[in-house]
Amino acid sequence: MFVFALAVVFKLCTIQFVQGDEYRALAEERTVKNHEIPANRGNVYSADGSLLATSIPKYDIRLDVVQPKQATFNKYIKSLSDSLANYSGKSSSYHQNSITKARSNKNRYFLLARNISYSDYIRLRNFPMLQLGAIKGGLIVEQTTRREHPMGGIAERTIGYERIDEDGNVTRPGIDGAFGVKYLRGINGSRLKQKIGNGQWKPIVDYNQVDPQDGYDVYTTIDVNIQDIAHHSLLGQLEKYEAEHGCAVVMDVKTGEIKAISNLGRNKNGNYYERLNYAVGESHEPGSTFKVMAFMAALEDKVIDTSTIINTFQGTKRFYGRTISDSRGHGKISAARALEVSSNIGLATIIDEAYSKKPKIFINRLKSWNLHEPLGISIIGEGIPDIAEPGKANWSRNALPSMAYGYNLQMTPLQTLTFYNAIANDGEMVKPRFIKAVKEFDREIETFNKEVINQKICSDKTLGEIRDILKNIVIRGTGSRMYSENFSMAGKTGTARTDYSNYEEWRKDRKYVSSFAGYFPADNPKYSCIVVIHKPSTKVGFYGADVSGPVFKRIAQKIYTETPLIDEVESLEVVNNQVNESFEAYYDIANTYKTIMPNVVGLPAMDALALLENMGLKVSLEGVGVVKKQSINKGVKVKPNQVVVLNI
């Protein structure tokens, strides 16, 4: 027994004096720990300062019911319960009984309010007993932040986010993700907390050990008005053609600033939302929009001119054992006309005859335009272009004629648009840009200027010829249904097969990618634009001019007609003279008295909505497009806040 007692004493001394520091540190680590306080992420703004993404602080208010002395508890419990009753709507007795019961159960983490705003936090903090703070009153405050997009689903994927899962994996799409680490995140703070059991941690004091530093604000190039136009124009066409997904991008010609980018995909219920950033990340065969690149290569290498005669036969021609076809025969036509009517045979003949014995010259021309490289944009996840060339697995004798009309290669919509933008920009290729500046309040931290990828993609002669052809495509070519006397556009339609590896299966269920790329106005371009729609219902239509062209036209029309340089804004969709005369007859009355219902049948929904809401009416839209029926007849006297239903 004596030896055993000596052993115990020896062990106690060892623990106390030899291992004491180690065990004390371990005990403290298990019961007291510094917890990280996330910094508020910086805001994301549009070009005009409209808020696109912001961090909203939220607060949980808890009470260490054991902490206040009995006298303090007795003094304030009734008044605290009364204040909580006014705040929550529950009775004072309910709160008093709950808090008293929590004290008897020695609850040191009793929840009073969860996920409340800053104004509510200030209000609760001044309640009786809570105003005494953490030491005397037992107040526990925990702050979190939540990222919100004030514009809702519009451009949500491009604005983006940064999320970290339980395993530490980070997902960072869009602008918010691309600039999160360097600018938006800020510097986290810390706060000392004590473990109180059941995996819960309670702040020891009512202040931070290290205060967090908020992130910088990012100002984007997005124009909210153009973004709204692009979003709703694309959405309406996707719904009409029951397409799988699509995107639309609008770029400032001179600077490369992205003014709008909409990416919409369909869910299981048939609704469209910002599912993925298709414009940036989805590489696919561009189809006929690539014919412009192939044609320019031939012009620049002087293997043809625009008047060279090409035999397209009656719509079919064999190339190395494979048949290439057009939608109809054109016979012998000029090279320029072959591009205007988007002849697969015409472009395949031009490129095959010029480059079949020296394909590297053609490939090197494409590479000189940087078409084989990513743009290197700031947004994470840019798709990688893939251009076939000798030595690659996808090269064969048919590779060259296939590339001439946009197959056997892959590009993203944004990469295609960048080339068309260079045509509009007198040959200067600029990098697409999403960010204008980074600021801390009004202080500029960093500004982002135009970046040039290629000073001059081709000669002025080639540039002038291709711009004339792109203009004629809209006037008399495959895009003629888009032509308008009121404003000019230039561009190229595109219709490409997709998922066609098994041709027999594809014939049973045909799938296409419809696109249109170009710029406007045609003679002095201000904006370039691309619209790509994947897998429209072939029962409704699939050609680029029918599916994607109208989206391009509506975007161009809306931007063109709403420019501040125009004093009188007209709706170019109104083609019924009687409707137009009726609208004008009632327009003055509606704006003068705001009591007489005008005739809005035949107007685009957005124009009718603006007119009627300015009259003080509440408008309910049913459908997308042009107004077909109105619930209140023209000439009827209306009252403020009266509801009018527009069937579209």
Side-chain angles (χ1 to χ4, degrees):
M1 291 295 293
F2 178 73
V3 173
F4 178 74
L6 287 177
V8 171
V9 171
F10 175 77
K11 188 62 176 177
L12 288 174
C13 292
T14 302
I15 293 173
Q16 179 68 26
F17 300 108
V18 179
Q19 300 174 321
D21 292 340
E22 179 183 347
Y23 284 118
R24 275 189 290 271
L26 184 60
E28 186 174 340
E29 182 182 347
R30 290 180 176 177
T31 59
V32 178
K33 185 184 293 185
N34 255 323
H35 283 248
E36 195 172 72
I37 303 173
N40 286 329
R41 291 180 75 83
N43 295 330
V44 179
Y45 293 96
S46 68
D48 65 353
S50 299
L51 191 61
L52 301 179
T54 187
S55 292
I56 304 296
K58 295 294 180 181
Y59 300 87
D60 289 351
I61 305 298
R62 296 179 181 271
L63 183 63
D64 182 347
V65 189
V66 180
Q67 185 68 25
K69 295 180 179 180
Q70 189 63 48
T72 303
F73 184 83
N74 293 338
K75 179 180 178 180
Y76 290 109
I77 182 60
K78 180 63 170 68
S79 55
L80 173 61
S81 300
D82 291 342
S83 298
L84 289 171
N86 291 331
Y87 173 78
S88 68
K90 295 180 180 179
S91 66
S92 177
S93 60
Y94 167 82
H95 287 291
Q96 186 168 344
N97 292 335
S98 298
I99 296 172
T100 303
K101 183 179 179 181
R103 185 174 174 89
S104 64
N105 291 335
K106 300 188 182 303
N107 190 333
R108 311 203 68 160
Y109 206 59
F110 182 71
L111 180 66
L112 294 179
R114 184 191 297 276
N115 206 32
I116 62 175
S117 66
Y118 178 76
S119 59
D120 283 345
Y121 155 65
I122 294 299
R123 179 182 173 187
L124 265 70
R125 189 185 177 95
N126 289 307
F127 281 0
M129 194 159 71
L130 300 184
Q131 65 183 357
L132 299 177
I135 304 300
K136 294 183 179 180
L139 173 65
I140 301 172
V141 179
E142 294 187 320
Q143 177 184 337
T144 57
T145 57
R146 186 173 65 197
R147 200 69 168 164
E148 291 190 356
H149 294 166
M151 288 184 64
I154 296 179
E156 187 174 22
R157 194 74 186 183
T158 301
I159 297 168
Y161 55 83
E162 184 178 47
R163 293 175 185 165
I164 303 176
D165 63 18
E166 296 177 353
D167 299 324
N169 299 316
V170 184
T171 306
R172 296 198 300 264
I175 294 168
D176 207 316
F179 295 92
V181 175
K182 189 173 182 181
Y183 300 115
L184 291 166
R185 271 190 191 175
I187 301 174
N188 293 337
S190 63
R191 188 177 193 180
L192 209 58
K193 291 187 178 183
Q194 182 180 24
K195 192 171 184 179
I196 57 175
N198 296 326
Q200 296 177 331
W201 293 81
K202 183 194 78 168
I204 293 178
V205 290
D206 191 27
Y207 56 85
N208 299 330
Q209 297 291 107
V210 178
D211 288 325
Q213 297 179 26
D214 293 347
Y216 297 132
D217 296 328
V218 168
Y219 285 76
T220 72
T221 60
I222 300 294
D223 183 306
V224 291
N225 294 320
I226 298 177
Q227 180 66 43
D228 183 67
I229 292 168
H231 176 88
H232 287 98
S233 299
L234 178 64
L235 176 61
Q237 203 73 346
L238 289 173
E239 291 175 338
K240 177 180 178 180
Y241 283 88
E242 302 171 5
E244 182 184 272
H245 65 271
C247 65
V249 187
V250 180
M251 182 190 297
D252 185 282
V253 166
K254 297 298 182 184
T255 65
E257 293 181 355
I258 299 298
K259 293 300 179 182
I261 177 168
S262 182
N263 298 278
L264 297 174
R266 186 175 58 190
N267 63 16
K268 294 180 180 179
N269 299 323
N271 299 318
Y272 292 92
Y273 69 106
E274 287 267 341
R275 187 176 180 182
L276 294 170
N277 201 332
Y278 302 109
V280 170
E282 185 175 42
S283 296
H284 62 89
E285 290 177 311
S288 295
T289 54
F290 192 81
K291 289 175 182 174
V292 171
M293 290 78 149
F295 193 86
M296 284 181 63
L299 286 178
E300 195 68 1
D301 290 335
K302 297 181 174 56
V303 295
I304 61 160
D305 58 41
T306 55
S307 60
T308 301
I309 299 300
I310 308 297
N311 191 353
T312 64
F313 300 93
Q314 298 306 308
T316 59
K317 182 180 178 181
R318 298 281 287 179
F319 285 81
Y320 307 110
R322 187 168 64 89
T323 300
I324 293 178
S325 60
D326 289 334
S327 57
R328 65 184 182 88
H330 299 284
K332 293 182 178 181
I333 54 177
S334 69
R337 185 60 182 163
L339 185 57
E340 289 175 9
V341 299
S342 197
S343 169
N344 295 336
I345 296 171
L347 269 295
T349 300
I350 290 170
I351 299 304
D352 186 65
E353 289 182 354
Y355 298 102
S356 60
K357 296 180 180 179
K358 43 187 177 181
K360 271 290 187 181
I361 296 178
F362 179 72
I363 302 301
N364 288 338
R365 175 64 65 182
L366 300 181
K367 288 183 176 182
S368 73
W369 293 332
N370 304 92
L371 299 183
H372 64 302
E373 296 177 344
L375 297 168
I377 59 175
S378 54
I379 291 180
I380 299 169
E382 181 184 2
I384 307 299
D386 182 19
I387 295 178
E389 60 180 300
K392 282 189 175 182
N394 57 354
W395 184 263
S396 67
R397 289 191 301 172
N398 271 308
L400 209 56
S402 295
M403 292 172 67
Y405 57 97
Y407 288 84
N408 213 39
L409 58 96
Q410 291 194 337
M411 298 176 67
T412 68
L414 190 58
Q415 290 158 1
T416 300
L417 176 62
T418 301
F419 188 86
Y420 276 80
N421 191 81
I423 297 173
N425 194 28
D426 297 325
E428 183 182 64
M429 183 182 288
V430 294
K431 180 187 289 189
R433 186 156 53 92
F434 294 87
I435 301 298
K436 294 185 70 131
V438 176
K439 296 183 180 181
E440 183 182 35
F441 300 106
D442 292 332
R443 183 173 68 93
E444 286 197 354
I445 305 300
E446 189 172 349
T447 57
F448 297 84
N449 300 314
K450 179 178 76 172
E451 292 185 52
V452 178
I453 299 174
N454 192 314
Q455 292 283 352
K456 192 79 169 178
I457 60 172
C458 63
S459 65
D460 289 334
K461 181 177 183 296
T462 297
L463 202 61
E465 290 171 341
I466 202 68
R467 289 179 68 161
D468 286 341
I469 294 172
L470 292 177
K471 190 190 303 184
N472 288 333
I473 286 173
V474 176
I475 296 173
R476 65 191 186 200
T478 53
S480 59
R481 275 168 287 188
M482 297 171 56
Y483 176 71
S484 171
E485 294 181 353
N486 298 286
F487 61 96
S488 61
M489 300 172 288
K492 180 71 183 74
T493 58
T495 308
R497 297 173 182 175
T498 186
D499 299 344
Y500 59 87
S501 55
N502 187 326
Y503 184 70
E504 292 303 320
E505 289 296 321
W506 180 85
R507 288 185 63 185
K508 297 175 184 177
D509 183 17
R510 302 188 179 200
K511 295 182 176 66
Y512 295 91
V513 178
S514 304
S515 56
F516 190 94
Y519 48 85
F520 55 91
D523 294 322
N524 187 22
K526 171 64 176 173
Y527 298 107
S528 60
C529 178
I530 188 169
V531 180
V532 181
I533 294 179
H534 283 250
K535 301 178 183 179
S537 172
T538 53
K539 296 177 182 178
V540 186
F542 58 88
Y543 286 112
D546 298 328
V547 181
S548 297
V551 181
F552 182 99
K553 181 181 179 180
R554 180 168 288 275
I555 292 171
Q557 167 198 304
K558 282 293 181 181
I559 295 174
Y560 190 92
T561 57
E562 292 177 8
T563 174
L565 298 177
I566 296 178
D567 294 328
E568 185 178 46
V569 177
E570 295 179 340
S571 171
L572 301 179
E573 287 292 326
V574 179
V575 294
N576 188 319
N577 291 330
Q578 183 178 357
V579 171
N580 196 37
E581 292 171 3
S582 177
F583 168 71
E584 290 178 356
Y586 282 95
Y587 186 79
D588 291 338
I589 299 175
N591 279 274
T592 303
Y593 302 101
K594 297 189 181 295
T595 58
I596 306 300
M597 182 68 189
N599 182 6
V600 296
V601 174
L603 289 180
M606 294 176 69
D607 295 338
L609 178 67
L611 172 64
L612 297 178
E613 285 187 343
N614 285 333
M615 293 175 59
L617 298 176
K618 292 185 176 180
V619 183
S620 174
L621 298 177
E622 296 183 356
V624 177
V626 177
V627 178
K628 297 178 181 176
K629 185 179 179 182
Q630 59 190 66
S631 62
I632 301 176
N633 294 328
K634 67 177 182 179
V636 175
K637 189 173 182 178
V638 293
K639 299 177 181 179
N641 295 320
Q642 187 172 351
V643 177
V644 56
V645 180
L646 302 182
N647 297 102
I648 301 167

